[in-house]
Amino acid sequence: MSTGFELPLRLLLGFRVLIDELHEELARQGHPGLRPMHGFVFQAIGPDGTTAVELGRRLGVSKQAAGKTIGALERLGYVERGEDPDDARRKVVRLTERGIDCLVRSAHIFDGLRDRWAAVLGEERLAAMEADLRKVTPEELFRPDFPQWFGGH
Amino acid sequence: MSTGFELPLRLLLGFRVLIDELHEELARQGHPGLRPMHGFVFQAIGPDGTTAVELGRRLGVSKQAAGKTIGALERLGYVERGEDPDDARRKVVRLTERGIDCLVRSAHIFDGLRDRWAAVLGEERLAAMEADLRKVTPEELFRPDFPQWFGGH
DNA sequence: CTAAGATGGACAACCAGGTTGTCTAAAATA
DNA sequence: TATTTTAGACAACCTGGTTGTCCATCTTAG
């Protein structure tokens, strides 16, 4: 019963399982209240920080929407705004210590989840799945405009 | 470079590739303007039709929200409301001929996309991927509350 | 070197899609 | 038969997105 119909749903379901378990574990480790899309935002901000305009471009939303998202994450203590000494117009958005802690923990948790899958499937089979997926998906891992892409009637 | 970080994103990317190609092809075949989530709604409606209350329950949203979605799809010509002879309160929502056409074409397109993946990866490897995904994901394929699940800051 | 244009960010008004609350008609039940 | 439950419509509101406008600042053309 391998209809083409099952494949996309299994892929999505796999993603969902991993993300759900990530957030359960993050909540246990002191980061409750985060939503799946926050990970995308953190990644889009990057290690060197960014600006509202640039963040909006990366996320595929307007700079105003990006500004609101930044404001929300700032209130949660995950990002902070700083001045740019080279350009008085720009406000650089950076991850706070708490934001970085969240990223580090996420990486560890993802590694642990991958280990669990490897224990069930075998490391060889899991590596094969990853290799195969690489063959049929674009190089660049991050398509942070995903939330935008999916929503909307 | 198999960090646990890559796996979920590859799964999501695979899903996205398939869905994007599905909608490109659907647009070519006379169904433009459909969004990824419409497929979920069609599936949630099912072959026998449903009601706004039941649809809301399946999609994980309020009956009012389901009603609005139904209204939008009705305007697009994909569903229609009919009376229930056994219960004058209920308005049964059913797929129109156009809605069914869309579902049939989607099934064919998904089959074709799976064939393309099989040509790249080999039928055996693809079947292995599907089998492995089944081992690490829930039985029930449909979690139509996905849009709801992902969104939200 | 200055004047014109481009850019980053804030603010306001609006829109879409979700929410809850209230209401009516019809069905189920005590 | 009287009461309670249910399906659906309508209204008010909330959130997170949109565009439009504005100002301050940087960049660039003359």
Side-chain angles (χ1 to χ4, degrees), chain B residues 26-76:
Chain B
L26 274 180
R28 263 182 238 118
Q29 296 187 16
H31 293 284
L34 286 176
R35 308 278 314 153
M37 77 153 299
H38 287 140
F40 284 79
V41 179
F42 289 171
Q43 284 301 325
I45 290 173
D48 300 327
T50 183
T51 68
V53 167
E54 181 55 28
L55 181 62
R57 191 153 34 227
R58 290 184 194 165
L59 293 174
V61 300
S62 66
K63 62 181 181 175
Q64 290 87 339
K68 290 185 190 181
T69 299
I70 291 168
L73 284 175
E74 195 175 24
R75 242 166 286 123
L76 288 171

Side-chain angles (χ1 to χ4, degrees), chain B:
Chain B
M1 180 282 358
S2 276
T3 85
F5 202 62
E6 180 176 5
L7 182 55
L9 291 170
R10 283 285 169 219
L11 293 169
L12 179 59
L13 220 41
F15 171 73
R16 179 164 175 165
V17 164
L18 290 173
I19 297 297
D20 278 343
E21 295 185 346
L22 167 72
H23 281 93
E24 276 171 35
E25 189 57 36
L26 274 180
R28 263 182 238 118
Q29 296 187 16
H31 293 284
L34 286 176
R35 308 278 314 153
M37 77 153 299
H38 287 140
F40 284 79
V41 179
F42 289 171
Q43 284 301 325
I45 290 173
D48 300 327
T50 183
T51 68
V53 167
E54 181 55 28
L55 181 62
R57 191 153 34 227
R58 290 184 194 165
L59 293 174
V61 300
S62 66
K63 62 181 181 175
Q64 290 87 339
K68 290 185 190 181
T69 299
I70 291 168
L73 284 175
E74 195 175 24
R75 242 166 286 123
L76 288 171
Y78 286 101
V79 309
E80 60 192 356
R81 288 175 160 106
E83 305 294 324
D84 181 339
D86 295 342
D87 187 336
R89 295 170 307 175
R90 304 177 76 215
K91 301 272 177 71
V92 183
V93 179
R94 277 195 205 80
L95 293 176
T96 60
E97 203 169 319
R98 179 169 174 74
I100 292 168
D101 177 73
C102 179
L103 266 192
V104 169
R105 287 174 189 278
S106 295
H108 288 155
I109 294 167
F110 273 136
D111 286 343
L113 290 172
R114 187 184 182 284
D115 287 345
R116 274 179 42 197
W117 280 32
V120 174
L121 307 176
E123 169 61 33
E124 204 173 319
R125 289 282 288 254
L126 181 55
M129 183 193 293
E130 289 171 335
D132 286 349
L133 283 173
R134 274 183 221 115
K135 282 190 211 156
V136 290
T137 54
E139 269 299 303
E140 18 121 33
L141 255 193
F142 295 115
R143 304 279 298 269
D145 59 334
F146 178 81
Q148 206 52 17
W149 167 77
F150 193 88
H153 288 211

Side-chain angles (χ1 to χ4, degrees), chain A residues 61-62 64-65 68-69 87-89 148:
Chain A
V61 301
S62 66
Q64 289 88 339
K68 289 185 189 181
T69 299
D87 187 335
R89 295 169 306 176
Q148 207 53 18

Side-chain angles (χ1 to χ4, degrees), chain A residues 38-47 55 58 95 103 142 144, chain B residues 5 9:
Chain A
H38 286 140
F40 284 80
V41 178
F42 290 170
Q43 284 301 324
I45 289 173
L55 181 61
R58 289 184 194 165
L95 292 176
L103 266 192
F142 295 116
Chain B
F5 202 62
L9 291 170

Side-chain angles (χ1 to χ4, degrees), chain A residues 34-112:
Chain A
L34 286 176
R35 308 278 313 154
M37 78 152 298
H38 286 140
F40 284 80
V41 178
F42 290 170
Q43 284 301 324
I45 289 173
D48 300 327
T50 184
T51 68
V53 167
E54 181 56 28
L55 181 61
R57 192 154 33 228
R58 289 184 194 165
L59 294 174
V61 301
S62 66
K63 61 181 182 176
Q64 289 88 339
K68 289 185 189 181
T69 299
I70 292 168
L73 284 175
E74 195 176 23
R75 240 166 289 123
L76 289 171
Y78 286 101
V79 308
E80 60 192 357
R81 288 173 159 107
E83 305 294 323
D84 181 339
D86 295 343
D87 187 335
R89 295 169 306 176
R90 304 178 76 215
K91 302 270 177 71
V92 183
V93 180
R94 278 195 206 78
L95 292 176
T96 61
E97 202 170 320
R98 179 169 174 74
I100 291 168
D101 177 74
C102 179
L103 266 192
V104 170
R105 287 175 189 279
S106 295
H108 287 156
I109 294 166
F110 273 136
D111 286 343

